[in-house]
Amino acid sequence: GEYWDQSLCPDPQSCSQNCALEGVDEKGYLENYKASPVQGGIKLEFPSAPRVYMLDGEDRYKMFRLKNKEFTFDVDLSSLPCGMNAALYFIEMDEHGDRNGLNPGGAKYGTGYCDAQCPHMRFIRGEANLLGWEKSHWAVNPDGQNMTGGHEGRYGYCCAEMDILEANREAGVFTAHPCTEQEQAICEGKEQCGDRGEGITGYCDKDGCGFSSFRMGDEKFWGAGQEFAVDTTKPMTIVTQFVTSDNTDAGDLVDIRRIYIQDGKVVKNSEANVLPGGGDSITDAMCSEQNRVFNESSFGFKDAGGLKAMG
């Protein structure tokens, strides 16, 4: 529901002690959320597809150390039309899902979520986020008017986010969202949680620095049909490389590169034709130039520390 039951939740700690998580088994995922295993992966069907996590054993999340490495996955977006978003991304969650005395469930039950949008989760580190429960102004419509969202609590939960892919068969982007804080941080108020409308970055860069081939000037790179360099009517392999300053795991992150493999052929990422300096990957220089060319009102990526902070 939209409101807390005052008989169970008169205060955050009492609420946490009175409430419990109910698990979902494989049958429940299939029947209720249309999520099912396939060989070597998972199949998600919209509009019911849930957010899912990768575990490393029974009670901890799989932790990826990406600097000086590459990450590769296969995906089929052929059935996903414009207006839908299939997202595969990394976030700097706690390995054990913030398991503690108030939250005995932990990673096994999918707790501990955070991202660069600093979401105002109902429970943060096991404690009910019910203080200051009020309607949120979470978006601006094309007329410049605030659109009111649902109720949310006082606190947000922030962490760095690397969007490996946000896409459908008509468009795709990969985006880095750095944060000023290490690991996970609880935020309060617009100075910490950020406010897009007022140009306040807060702990994390909500907009991020991304690479969308269409936005960067190549309208024939990604799309449904053989006339596109990457034909989204067919399965593809996507490779993302995280290059460091000294080509070691300890170096600073300086470049995020992308290549595609389809029908046995390697497809290089498109060029950023709209930028004077060009480029085909995410670097601090490209992000600065993109910010100037598109006349962005703020530059949260730089404010949050850029690629060095992302790494």
Side-chain angles (χ1 to χ4, degrees), residues 73-92:
F73 70 102
D74 299 326
V75 65
D76 184 348
L77 299 168
S78 59
S79 64
L80 204 62
C82 184
M84 305 301 287
N85 179 25
L88 173 65
Y89 58 105
F90 294 106
I91 49 176
E92 201 172 6

Side-chain angles (χ1 to χ4, degrees), residues 109-124:
Y109 284 79
T111 66
Y113 184 82
C114 58
D115 66 31
Q117 306 305 314
C118 300
H120 290 244
M121 307 297 292
R122 289 204 171 210
F123 288 84
I124 297 177

Side-chain angles (χ1 to χ4, degrees), residues 44-310:
L44 302 178
E45 296 183 40
F46 284 88
S48 302
R51 180 187 292 130
V52 294
Y53 308 97
M54 183 175 289
L55 291 173
D56 186 8
E58 279 282 315
D59 58 1
R60 66 178 62 194
Y61 294 122
K62 174 71 175 177
M63 307 301 286
F64 290 84
R65 313 295 178 184
L66 296 173
K67 287 199 301 182
N68 197 39
K69 301 201 171 47
E70 66 180 28
F71 177 79
T72 303
F73 70 102
D74 299 326
V75 65
D76 184 348
L77 299 168
S78 59
S79 64
L80 204 62
C82 184
M84 305 301 287
N85 179 25
L88 173 65
Y89 58 105
F90 294 106
I91 49 176
E92 201 172 6
M93 291 170 67
D94 174 68
E95 182 177 9
H96 298 283
D98 289 332
R99 188 173 65 237
N100 58 40
L102 291 175
N103 171 29
K108 185 175 182 179
Y109 284 79
T111 66
Y113 184 82
C114 58
D115 66 31
Q117 306 305 314
C118 300
H120 290 244
M121 307 297 292
R122 289 204 171 210
F123 288 84
I124 297 177
R125 294 178 181 167
E127 189 165 297
N129 188 18
L130 56 78
L131 300 178
W133 192 252
E134 59 186 22
K135 285 274 189 179
S136 63
H137 296 279
W138 58 271
V140 178
N141 68 16
D143 298 322
Q145 299 173 322
N146 281 326
M147 297 174 62
T148 302
H151 285 75
E152 65 181 23
R154 178 180 299 168
Y155 305 106
Y157 205 28
C158 313
C159 64
E161 173 185 344
M162 179 65 220
D163 297 326
I164 296 294
L165 183 70
E166 292 180 291
N168 54 51
R169 66 187 180 212
E170 305 296 337
V173 64
F174 61 104
T175 309
H177 297 267
C179 298
T180 59
E181 308 299 302
Q182 293 292 316
E183 298 181 341
Q184 312 85 33
I186 296 174
C187 70
E188 179 181 5
K190 62 182 66 175
E191 291 301 321
Q192 294 180 353
C193 299
D195 188 306
R196 271 202 184 98
E198 297 185 22
I200 301 173
T201 300
Y203 286 158
C204 298
D205 174 21
K206 290 178 168 54
D207 293 326
C209 177
F211 198 108
S212 166
S213 295
F214 190 96
R215 190 178 192 225
M216 291 299 176
D218 191 338
E219 298 181 6
K220 286 296 182 180
F221 184 77
W222 177 284
Q226 60 184 5
E227 67 270 27
F228 294 94
V230 175
D231 180 359
T232 58
T233 67
K234 303 176 181 179
M236 69 188 80
T237 298
I238 299 179
V239 182
T240 310
Q241 300 170 329
F242 298 85
V243 182
T244 62
S245 55
D246 59 1
N247 295 317
T248 72
D249 296 0
D252 293 333
L253 182 65
V254 295
D255 198 355
I256 302 175
R257 299 175 184 169
R258 168 63 58 84
I259 59 174
Y260 302 87
I261 304 171
Q262 195 168 51
D263 294 332
K265 299 177 182 178
V266 174
V267 181
K268 291 182 60 179
N269 194 34
S270 60
E271 287 284 332
N273 299 322
V274 300
L275 304 182
D280 61 359
S281 62
I282 296 176
T283 65
D284 284 339
M286 187 280 286
C287 294
S288 295
E289 194 167 44
Q290 181 181 163
N291 185 263
R292 291 192 300 271
V293 167
F294 294 122
N295 196 27
E296 304 286 354
S297 60
S298 60
F299 195 10
F301 185 78
K302 181 179 179 181
D303 295 341
L307 284 184
K308 183 177 181 178
M310 192 71 215

